[in-house]
């Protein structure tokens, strides 16, 4: 096994996949804003009235690119908000100067479409407003970044010509308020300069889940409130407060803003789940992986889900008319699993258990396999799949398969195991493969594939090892030396997990 190269793993099906996630990044990007209006915006008070006309240059010069004029400050909140820890929305008011076109109100409707790329686009701001000096006209707001130095480009002039509108751009004092700024603009203006704004959040139903860094903590309540204000549907923001996950893989959290009710509803791959996010495990980044495994199942197949959580493998499998045995040690997960079975009307297809994964394998799984693997007829050939998604520890549970059916009559079929693991090894596929072999005490060389599920952290991968359980592991009798202790571990997972073995 040791002289197996990682290329062999690729041959057996190792594939790195980028996951499509439900993850919303809010970190400050390096987005550059064109700079044309900086000067003008600094002196809004000097412009008489609400807007003033600007004459076009009478000579032609090569237009400077928008990027040349980039003004990262144009849409920034005022400097006074820097360091704010309690949200004061009024303090965000600021006036900037934007270009406007005066247009007869009858032609507004026809004009907006051809000018749509030039129009001002800011959250909460109207693009067409009343003309204070003329009730028959309207003012059309243009994007300062697109109209450098109040000078219309050739295509805009062409459009205006068609409508007989003189190509005269005027200035308008526009008041920006808290509502006009985007989330990252607000946080970039408030948090210390030069530091990462926020590490992003995951969305679980009505909950935004953050994992803030130390330097962000003084601003956490403000960050929470701004996330609620700027994300319709988010009514609660929580921050993870402990680094080490609990046995049940839920984590300690602080509610930063909004409602403290963390019972929520999520939809994944067309299945609805309800859960209490403070008490059970739910990770929106696993939806692709859940779908991938369920895709492998056929109606009539049997699924054993050893660490089932609230049911994201089990319930879709049952909806696909598989027979499902789902287990979780966390009583809260078990309760929500039962709830979700009812919610999705698959109660008759799923048998739920609330026990340790090892006991589940040695009890209900052993019992079912010893009957099921034998009862294979020509017409009925269900496959048996065992899913083990507890990546920090699942490899160690593989030892429970040793001699699981020792002494039982051998069936023709063998179950397929899908076992998840974290790896910090430079060759993660090889690493999890070798650790699985050590735990099983057998070679998986001929019957195994490794799938890269997701990158969990820098240098930490989540992998899924799928293999057919070797008959010798399942049916072999323990040799006397092996009987005490029953499942001797040959290699620990300490190098790939911070967590400790649950009792
Ligand atoms: C990583 S979560 C996976 C949940 C679900 N399968 C999913 O994909 O979202 C692992 C689950 O294993 C459960 N768990 C932890 N230790 C366990 C054990 N010794 N036996 C059974 N379940 C356990 C936790 O409560 C948690 O729900």
């Amino acid at each position: 096994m040791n002289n197996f190269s990682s290329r062999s793993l690729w041959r057996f099906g190792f594939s790195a996949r980028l996951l499509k996630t439900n993850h919303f990044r809010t970190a400050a990007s390096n987005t550059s804003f064109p700079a044309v209006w900086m000067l003008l915006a600094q002196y809004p008070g000097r412009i008489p009235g609400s807007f003033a006309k600007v004459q076009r240059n009478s000579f032609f010069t090569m237009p400077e690119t928008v990027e040349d004029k980039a003004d990262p400050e144009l849409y920034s909140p005022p400097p006074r908000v820097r360091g704010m820890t309690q949200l004061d929305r009024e303090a965000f008011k600021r006036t900037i100067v934007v270009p406007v076109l005066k247009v007869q109100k009858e032609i507004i409707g026809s004009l907006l479409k051809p000018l749509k790329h030039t129009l001002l686009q800011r959250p909460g701001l109207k693009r067409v407003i009343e003309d204070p000096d003329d009730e028959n006209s309207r003012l059309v707001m243009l994007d300062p970044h697109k109209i450098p130095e109040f000078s219309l480009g050739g295509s805009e002039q062409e459009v205006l010509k068609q409508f007989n509108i003189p190509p005269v751009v005027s200035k308008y004092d526009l008041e920006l308020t808290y509502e006009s700024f985007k989330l990252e603009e607000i946080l970039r203006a408030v948090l210390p300069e030069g530091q990462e704004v926020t590490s992003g959040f995951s969305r679980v139903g009505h909950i935004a889940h953050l994992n803030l860094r130390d330097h962000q903590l003084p601003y956490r309540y403000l960050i929470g409130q701004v996330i609620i204000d700027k994300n319709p549907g988010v009514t609660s923001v929580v921050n993870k407060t402990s680094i080490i996950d609990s046995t049940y893989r839920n984590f300690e959290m602080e509610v930063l803003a909004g409602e403290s009710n963390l019972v929520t509803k999520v939809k994944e791959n067309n299945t609805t789940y309800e859960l209490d996010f403070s008490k059970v495990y739910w990770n929106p980044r696993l939806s692709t992986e859940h779908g991938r495994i369920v895709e492998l199942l056929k109606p009539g197949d049997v699924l054993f889900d050893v660490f089932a959580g609230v049911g994201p493998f089990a319930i879709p499998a049952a909806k696909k008319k598989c027979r499902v045995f789902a287990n979780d040690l966390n009583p809260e997960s078990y309760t929500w699993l039962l709830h979700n079975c009812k919610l999705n009307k698959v109660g008759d297809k799923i048998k739920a258990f609330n026990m340790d994964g090892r006991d589940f394998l040695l009890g209900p799984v052993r019992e079912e396999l010893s009957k099921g693997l034998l009862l294979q007829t020509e017409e009925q050939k269900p496959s048996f799949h065992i899913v083990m998604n507890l990546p920090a520890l699942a490899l160690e549970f593989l030892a429970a398969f040793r001699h699981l059916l020792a002494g039982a009559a051998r069936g023709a079929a063998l179950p397929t195991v899908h076992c998840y693991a974290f790896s910090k090894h430079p060759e993660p596929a090889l690493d999890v493969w070798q650790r699985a072999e050590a735990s099983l005490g057998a070679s998986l060389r001929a019957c195994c594939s490794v799938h890269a599920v997701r990158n969990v952290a820098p240098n930490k991968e989540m992998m899924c090892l799928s293999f057919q359980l070797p008959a010798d592991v399942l049916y072999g009798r323990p040799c006397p030396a092996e009987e005490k202790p029953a499942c001797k571990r040959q290699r620990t997972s300490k190098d790939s997990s911070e967590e400790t073995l649950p009792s």
Side-chain angles (χ1 to χ4, degrees):
M1 173 67 211
N2 281 342
N3 52 16
F4 243 61
S5 72
S6 56
R7 285 178 62 201
S8 327
L9 293 166
W10 284 95
R11 195 150 29 86
F12 280 113
F14 171 58
S15 60
R17 271 228 249 153
L18 282 174
L19 285 185
K20 217 170 129 194
T21 70
N22 221 357
H23 191 242
F24 301 76
R25 286 212 72 78
T26 58
S29 64
N30 283 334
T31 318
S32 60
F33 293 100
V36 205
W37 297 98
M38 189 157 74
L39 259 180
L40 292 165
Q42 281 170 357
Y43 306 104
R46 291 202 190 162
I47 298 158
S50 57
F51 69 101
K53 285 180 187 171
V54 176
Q55 291 305 315
R56 278 186 50 72
N57 286 341
S58 52
F59 58 92
F60 178 82
T61 52
M62 282 296 286
E64 294 172 69
T65 62
V66 171
E67 276 68 26
D68 291 338
K69 301 262 180 187
D71 172 12
E73 303 300 319
L74 177 65
Y75 290 134
S76 293
R80 63 176 167 270
V81 303
R82 176 83 60 209
M84 180 188 280
T85 51
Q86 216 175 352
L87 184 59
D88 171 9
R89 295 180 181 83
E90 286 297 304
F92 283 81
K93 282 196 177 142
R94 175 192 168 186
T95 305
I96 63 168
V97 181
V98 298
V100 287
L101 282 174
K102 184 183 171 92
V103 176
Q104 287 301 302
K105 67 178 183 192
E106 297 78 41
I107 52 173
I108 286 284
S110 338
L111 184 71
L112 290 185
K113 199 168 173 203
L115 278 186
K116 71 173 183 227
H117 297 298
T118 320
L119 300 177
L120 182 78
Q121 306 215 4
R122 295 294 301 168
L125 287 183
K126 287 185 180 164
R127 288 181 297 190
V128 180
I129 55 168
E130 306 269 323
D131 180 347
D133 300 336
D134 179 359
E135 62 175 30
N136 294 319
S137 300
R138 296 286 178 267
L139 300 179
V140 177
M141 307 254 190
L142 303 178
D143 183 346
H145 297 141
K146 307 269 175 66
I147 311 294
E149 291 166 1
F150 296 95
S151 171
L152 289 169
S155 59
E156 289 88 19
Q157 288 190 49
E158 203 48 51
V159 172
L160 296 187
K161 206 167 158 189
Q162 284 168 21
F163 289 90
N164 278 328
I165 302 171
V168 178
V169 179
S170 306
K171 293 176 181 174
Y172 181 82
D173 284 0
L174 174 68
E175 185 175 70
L176 297 179
T177 63
Y178 173 77
E179 284 68 35
S180 353
F181 296 110
K182 298 176 189 169
L183 171 66
E184 48 275 24
E185 290 165 350
I186 292 174
L187 298 186
R188 205 186 306 124
V190 169
L191 269 68
E193 242 166 325
Q195 290 190 329
E196 194 192 344
V197 167
T198 165
S199 53
F201 64 89
S202 301
R203 176 90 184 257
V204 178
H206 70 276
I207 304 159
H209 159 217
L210 299 163
N211 200 351
L212 293 176
R213 310 271 167 84
D214 285 350
H215 74 271
Q216 298 158 335
L217 290 178
Y219 308 92
R220 63 191 185 280
Y221 301 122
L222 178 142
I223 293 174
Q225 190 53 56
V226 183
I227 288 177
I228 288 184
D229 291 344
K230 298 293 172 182
N231 291 278
V234 172
T235 54
S236 189
V237 178
V238 300
N239 184 41
K240 182 173 177 172
T241 52
S242 67
I243 305 164
I244 309 285
D245 286 346
S246 70
T247 301
Y248 299 147
R249 268 54 205 171
N250 56 333
F251 40 81
E252 281 170 35
M253 55 184 85
E254 180 189 14
V255 178
L256 302 182
E259 51 179 313
S260 51
N261 168 28
L262 299 182
V263 172
T264 195
K265 189 186 257 197
V266 289
K267 201 164 182 182
E268 180 183 277
N269 302 332
N270 292 321
T271 300
T272 302
Y273 304 88
E274 286 174 353
L275 55 104
D276 184 339
F277 190 55
S278 64
K279 301 209 169 105
V280 303
Y281 178 90
W282 182 265
N283 187 342
R285 293 173 218 179
L286 288 180
S287 62
T288 307
E289 182 57 17
H290 294 144
R292 184 182 76 88
I293 295 292
V294 174
E295 189 64 24
L296 303 174
L297 308 173
K298 300 184 308 298
D301 283 354
V302 181
L303 175 72
F304 301 101
D305 191 350
V306 185
F307 309 106
V310 301
F313 290 113
I315 290 172
K319 281 171 78 177
K320 219 173 164 180
K321 304 213 178 321
C322 296
R323 259 190 335 124
V324 179
F325 297 80
N327 171 65
D328 202 284
L329 182 62
N330 179 356
E332 288 284 341
S333 294
Y334 171 74
T335 305
W336 286 105
L337 173 66
L338 292 176
H339 175 85
N340 289 318
C341 288
K342 263 198 206 140
L343 187 69
N344 289 283
K345 303 187 173 55
V346 290
D348 58 329
K349 287 272 170 210
I350 299 187
K351 244 179 146 173
F353 300 84
N354 177 209
M355 54 172 74
D356 177 73
R358 215 173 260 105
D359 297 335
F360 178 63
L361 291 168
L362 298 175
V365 176
R366 182 193 347 227
E367 195 182 315
E368 246 347 274
L369 284 180
S370 56
K371 289 183 283 175
L373 295 177
L374 284 177
L375 288 176
Q376 303 254 340
T377 63
E378 263 316 301
E379 310 81 67
Q380 263 199 318
K381 279 201 175 136
S383 300
F384 293 80
H385 292 262
I386 304 171
V387 174
M388 302 173 71
N389 183 16
L390 180 59
L393 297 166
L395 287 174
E396 295 173 19
F397 284 74
L398 291 179
F401 289 114
R402 293 183 181 202
H403 329 296
L404 188 68
L405 301 181
R410 290 193 183 212
L414 288 167
T416 303
V417 176
H418 308 278
C419 185
Y420 292 84
F422 292 132
S423 177
K424 291 181 173 174
H425 197 275
E427 293 198 60
L430 191 63
D431 172 47
V432 296
W433 184 349
Q434 288 180 337
R435 282 159 54 207
E437 288 188 329
S439 189
L440 284 166
S443 167
L444 295 174
R445 187 172 176 150
C447 53
C448 148
S449 74
V450 188
H451 175 79
V453 178
R454 70 185 195 97
N455 176 247
V456 178
N459 306 324
K460 186 173 175 182
E461 301 294 326
M462 176 175 172
M463 314 294 285
C464 177
L465 182 81
S466 292
F467 60 91
Q468 205 167 56
L469 258 180
D472 289 351
V473 171
L474 210 49
Y475 293 104
R477 286 183 186 279
C479 57
E482 233 185 329
E483 273 178 302
K484 281 187 235 151
C487 303
K488 198 178 166 203
R489 274 172 42 204
Q490 295 180 19
R491 195 172 157 187
T492 72
S493 64
K494 285 221 174 79
D495 57 342
S496 54
S497 145
E498 295 84 356
E499 292 108 340
T500 49
L501 198 69
S503 54

mmCIF file of all heavy atoms in Angstrom, residues 164-177:
data_model
loop_
_atom_site.group_PDB
_atom_site.id
_atom_site.type_symbol
_atom_site.label_atom_id
_atom_site.label_comp_id
_atom_site.label_asym_id
_atom_site.label_seq_id
_atom_site.Cartn_x
_atom_site.Cartn_y
_atom_site.Cartn_z
ATOM 1 N N ASN A 164 -33.942 64.433 -29.190
ATOM 2 C CA ASN A 164 -33.848 65.895 -29.242
ATOM 3 C C ASN A 164 -33.595 66.536 -27.882
ATOM 4 O O ASN A 164 -34.186 67.567 -27.535
ATOM 5 C CB ASN A 164 -35.137 66.499 -29.825
ATOM 6 C CG ASN A 164 -35.111 66.445 -31.329
ATOM 7 O OD1 ASN A 164 -34.027 66.534 -31.927
ATOM 8 N ND2 ASN A 164 -36.279 66.260 -31.929
ATOM 9 N N ILE A 165 -32.760 65.882 -27.099
ATOM 10 C CA ILE A 165 -32.448 66.439 -25.779
ATOM 11 C C ILE A 165 -31.052 67.041 -25.859
ATOM 12 O O ILE A 165 -30.117 66.373 -26.312
ATOM 13 C CB ILE A 165 -32.465 65.336 -24.696
ATOM 14 C CG1 ILE A 165 -33.830 64.652 -24.665
ATOM 15 C CG2 ILE A 165 -32.120 65.899 -23.325
ATOM 16 C CD1 ILE A 165 -33.873 63.421 -23.783
ATOM 17 N N PRO A 166 -30.889 68.309 -25.443
ATOM 18 C CA PRO A 166 -29.546 68.891 -25.500
ATOM 19 C C PRO A 166 -28.593 68.132 -24.562
ATOM 20 O O PRO A 166 -28.992 67.764 -23.452
ATOM 21 C CB PRO A 166 -29.745 70.335 -25.027
ATOM 22 C CG PRO A 166 -31.138 70.436 -24.544
ATOM 23 C CD PRO A 166 -31.901 69.210 -24.916
ATOM 24 N N PRO A 167 -27.348 67.875 -25.009
ATOM 25 C CA PRO A 167 -26.412 67.060 -24.198
ATOM 26 C C PRO A 167 -25.798 67.865 -23.057
ATOM 27 O O PRO A 167 -24.589 68.003 -22.953
ATOM 28 C CB PRO A 167 -25.364 66.637 -25.223
ATOM 29 C CG PRO A 167 -25.359 67.726 -26.233
ATOM 30 C CD PRO A 167 -26.725 68.316 -26.281
ATOM 31 N N VAL A 168 -26.643 68.381 -22.220
ATOM 32 C CA VAL A 168 -26.163 69.225 -21.125
ATOM 33 C C VAL A 168 -26.344 68.478 -19.796
ATOM 34 O O VAL A 168 -27.451 68.080 -19.447
ATOM 35 C CB VAL A 168 -26.953 70.561 -21.083
ATOM 36 C CG1 VAL A 168 -26.483 71.403 -19.902
ATOM 37 C CG2 VAL A 168 -26.790 71.292 -22.385
ATOM 38 N N VAL A 169 -25.242 68.324 -19.141
ATOM 39 C CA VAL A 169 -25.281 67.620 -17.852
ATOM 40 C C VAL A 169 -25.278 68.658 -16.747
ATOM 41 O O VAL A 169 -24.560 69.648 -16.817
ATOM 42 C CB VAL A 169 -24.045 66.713 -17.705
ATOM 43 C CG1 VAL A 169 -24.056 66.003 -16.369
ATOM 44 C CG2 VAL A 169 -24.010 65.708 -18.829
ATOM 45 N N SER A 170 -26.101 68.458 -15.746
ATOM 46 C CA SER A 170 -26.126 69.371 -14.605
ATOM 47 C C SER A 170 -25.645 68.646 -13.361
ATOM 48 O O SER A 170 -25.559 67.421 -13.328
ATOM 49 C CB SER A 170 -27.554 69.873 -14.391
ATOM 50 O OG SER A 170 -28.041 70.427 -15.589
ATOM 51 N N LYS A 171 -25.367 69.418 -12.325
ATOM 52 C CA LYS A 171 -24.913 68.834 -11.054
ATOM 53 C C LYS A 171 -26.066 68.822 -10.067
ATOM 54 O O LYS A 171 -26.846 69.777 -10.013
ATOM 55 C CB LYS A 171 -23.784 69.680 -10.471
ATOM 56 C CG LYS A 171 -22.519 69.658 -11.259
ATOM 57 C CD LYS A 171 -21.537 70.615 -10.610
ATOM 58 C CE LYS A 171 -20.235 70.655 -11.365
ATOM 59 N NZ LYS A 171 -19.348 71.690 -10.810
ATOM 60 N N TYR A 172 -26.111 67.777 -9.294
ATOM 61 C CA TYR A 172 -27.193 67.673 -8.308
ATOM 62 C C TYR A 172 -26.601 67.222 -6.978
ATOM 63 O O TYR A 172 -25.816 66.263 -6.928
ATOM 64 C CB TYR A 172 -28.232 66.659 -8.805
ATOM 65 C CG TYR A 172 -29.401 66.504 -7.865
ATOM 66 C CD1 TYR A 172 -30.453 67.409 -7.878
ATOM 67 C CD2 TYR A 172 -29.444 65.450 -6.961
ATOM 68 C CE1 TYR A 172 -31.519 67.276 -6.997
ATOM 69 C CE2 TYR A 172 -30.504 65.304 -6.082
ATOM 70 C CZ TYR A 172 -31.545 66.210 -6.097
ATOM 71 O OH TYR A 172 -32.587 66.082 -5.237
ATOM 72 N N ASP A 173 -26.970 67.912 -5.928
ATOM 73 C CA ASP A 173 -26.515 67.522 -4.580
ATOM 74 C C ASP A 173 -27.368 66.362 -4.103
ATOM 75 O O ASP A 173 -28.547 66.532 -3.808
ATOM 76 C CB ASP A 173 -26.700 68.678 -3.596
ATOM 77 C CG ASP A 173 -25.642 69.739 -3.768
ATOM 78 O OD1 ASP A 173 -24.774 69.568 -4.640
ATOM 79 O OD2 ASP A 173 -25.696 70.734 -3.029
ATOM 80 N N LEU A 174 -26.751 65.220 -4.016
ATOM 81 C CA LEU A 174 -27.514 64.024 -3.636
ATOM 82 C C LEU A 174 -27.140 63.622 -2.213
ATOM 83 O O LEU A 174 -25.959 63.462 -1.889
ATOM 84 C CB LEU A 174 -27.170 62.885 -4.604
ATOM 85 C CG LEU A 174 -27.776 61.536 -4.272
ATOM 86 C CD1 LEU A 174 -29.300 61.557 -4.453
ATOM 87 C CD2 LEU A 174 -27.175 60.441 -5.143
ATOM 88 N N GLU A 175 -28.170 63.475 -1.396
ATOM 89 C CA GLU A 175 -27.888 63.053 -0.021
ATOM 90 C C GLU A 175 -27.854 61.530 0.068
ATOM 91 O O GLU A 175 -28.832 60.857 -0.271
ATOM 92 C CB GLU A 175 -28.946 63.598 0.941
ATOM 93 C CG GLU A 175 -28.571 63.262 2.376
ATOM 94 C CD GLU A 175 -29.501 63.873 3.401
ATOM 95 O OE1 GLU A 175 -30.658 63.417 3.464
ATOM 96 O OE2 GLU A 175 -29.072 64.802 4.105
ATOM 97 N N LEU A 176 -26.702 60.989 0.475
ATOM 98 C CA LEU A 176 -26.607 59.545 0.724
ATOM 99 C C LEU A 176 -26.938 59.320 2.195
ATOM 100 O O LEU A 176 -26.534 60.104 3.056
ATOM 101 C CB LEU A 176 -25.199 59.041 0.433
ATOM 102 C CG LEU A 176 -24.696 59.169 -1.000
ATOM 103 C CD1 LEU A 176 -23.269 58.638 -1.121
ATOM 104 C CD2 LEU A 176 -25.601 58.420 -1.974
ATOM 105 N N THR A 177 -27.671 58.287 2.465
ATOM 106 C CA THR A 177 -28.020 57.963 3.849
ATOM 107 C C THR A 177 -27.544 56.531 4.136
ATOM 108 O O THR A 177 -27.057 55.839 3.245
ATOM 109 C CB THR A 177 -29.551 58.022 4.055
ATOM 110 O OG1 THR A 177 -30.137 57.024 3.228
ATOM 111 C CG2 THR A 177 -30.108 59.394 3.725
#
